[in-house]
Amino acid sequence: MGEFSVPRHVAIIMDGNGRWAKRRGLPRTMGHRAGCETVEQTVRDAADLGIEYLTVYGFSTENWKRSSEEVGALMQLFRFYIRKLLKVAKEKNVRVLSIGDRTRFDKDLIEGLNRLERETKDNTRMTFILALNYGGRDEIVRAAKKLLKAGEAGELSADDVTEELFSGFLDTAGIPDPDLMIRTSGELRLSNYLLWQLAYSEFYVTDCLWPDLTKRNLKKLSRNIIPERDGSAA
Ligand code: IPE
Ligand code: IPE
Ligand code: MG
């Protein structure tokens, strides 16, 4: 098949902001700022390319271990960019969701994320999912807790638990699994990203540093997907 088939759901590990800055003799924070600009542009590009779901890894549960300066700078950038993102989402008819445990963030940041979700909930062109304070293991543990609580409340019993039911307790409930996972900057690891959801996704690792990603790259990378695997492709 020569036709370019657009993957329905693309998940990205946006890595390489630090290296991008280092190559330019700049502080890491400048790399994160450039990376945020790329997120904004990628949301526009993905919507234009016809991707239905785009999930990006913005901050992992392990990223708290970075220096307090870097974590603080990232939080400031999130504050600023979620406001910019609201504008882009409205302009492009994009619905924004977040996954991960936001309870660890400052109150104003949580409120900003709530607002972003609330004010874009009826948008239909694309769903943009921000993974913030996200870890695949943490998500599975939180899902197991919710499941047990439902059990304790008498709402279900052990025999009711299926893969499908369990999926519904994850942060990604209702979202189709990614067809394609892209990692920028060359590292061949998953870094605790979407452990459950990537079970059958194609992986593509590019040496391109995240801030350097362009629409052309994104389109090219999206072509790497093998469209038909087990007949479940939409
Ligand atoms: C990814 O870039 C951004 C975040 C994890 C927030 P890095 O900061 O990990 O960049 P490198 O890996 O040091 O180049
Ligand atoms: C993964 O990148 C997390 C995000 C992109 C937010 P990292 O740079 O934090 O991953 P490791 O630590 O190199 O595995
Ligand atoms: Mg990194």
Side-chain angles (χ1 to χ4, degrees):
M1 100 177 322
E3 259 310 292
F4 167 51
S5 139
V6 181
R8 187 169 183 210
H9 184 175
V10 178
I12 307 182
I13 301 179
M14 316 185 287
D15 200 13
N17 293 348
R19 276 162 278 180
W20 184 93
K22 199 175 171 201
R23 280 187 196 173
R24 283 165 178 74
L26 297 168
R28 292 180 62 82
T29 319
M30 294 301 285
H32 293 314
R33 187 187 293 193
C36 287
E37 293 289 336
T38 305
V39 173
E40 193 185 321
Q41 191 54 45
T42 302
V43 171
R44 294 176 190 278
D45 295 343
D48 290 344
L49 287 171
I51 291 168
E52 280 180 63
Y53 297 85
L54 174 71
T55 302
V56 303
Y57 208 178
F59 194 85
S60 73
T61 48
E62 288 71 34
N63 286 151
W64 295 107
K65 291 180 205 142
R66 296 191 178 195
S67 74
S68 56
E69 290 78 22
E70 185 169 350
V71 171
L74 281 166
M75 295 303 142
Q76 272 309 106
L77 282 169
F78 294 156
R79 282 191 175 85
F80 179 70
Y81 277 92
I82 56 176
R83 256 177 278 143
K84 281 188 89 182
L85 204 56
L86 183 59
K87 277 192 213 146
V88 176
K90 285 184 173 172
E91 181 197 319
K92 286 282 186 186
N93 189 21
V94 168
R95 171 171 74 134
V96 185
L97 299 176
S98 86
I99 56 171
D101 179 9
R102 9 175 144 162
T103 58
R104 200 165 158 190
F105 291 125
D106 286 346
K107 220 176 137 203
D108 67 309
L109 198 51
I110 297 171
E111 187 37 53
L113 287 169
N114 287 340
R115 183 174 169 216
L116 196 53
E117 290 190 341
R118 199 170 57 236
E119 293 191 19
T120 63
K121 71 173 171 37
D122 296 322
N123 292 351
T124 52
R125 188 167 182 194
M126 182 179 83
T127 299
F128 176 58
I129 302 146
L130 267 167
L132 288 178
N133 191 23
Y134 177 87
R137 287 183 175 180
D138 177 68
E139 179 190 36
I140 291 168
V141 168
R142 284 186 290 104
K145 282 186 187 171
K146 285 183 239 168
L147 195 72
L148 269 176
K149 282 189 181 146
E152 284 164 5
E155 290 160 22
L156 50 87
S157 66
D159 287 338
D160 297 327
V161 182
T162 58
E163 289 183 11
E164 204 187 349
L165 184 112
F166 194 85
S167 295
F169 282 86
L170 294 169
D171 296 347
T172 51
I175 297 164
D177 289 341
D179 313 277
L180 175 67
M181 196 286 287
I182 298 170
R183 180 165 188 149
T184 59
S185 304
E187 245 89 58
L188 297 169
R189 58 174 173 265
L190 213 41
S191 301
N192 205 8
Y193 193 39
L194 300 172
L195 296 181
W196 173 283
Q197 296 86 346
L198 294 176
Y200 226 90
S201 314
E202 307 283 334
F203 284 17
Y204 198 84
V205 176
T206 171
D207 285 331
C208 174
L209 302 176
W210 173 252
D212 292 329
L213 192 92
T214 62
K215 187 175 181 180
R216 257 186 84 207
N217 296 142
L218 183 69
K219 193 170 175 183
K220 232 170 74 192
L221 292 167
S222 297
R223 281 176 197 264
N224 284 297
I225 191 172
I226 299 160
E228 275 161 61
R229 283 190 309 263
D230 60 357
S232 66

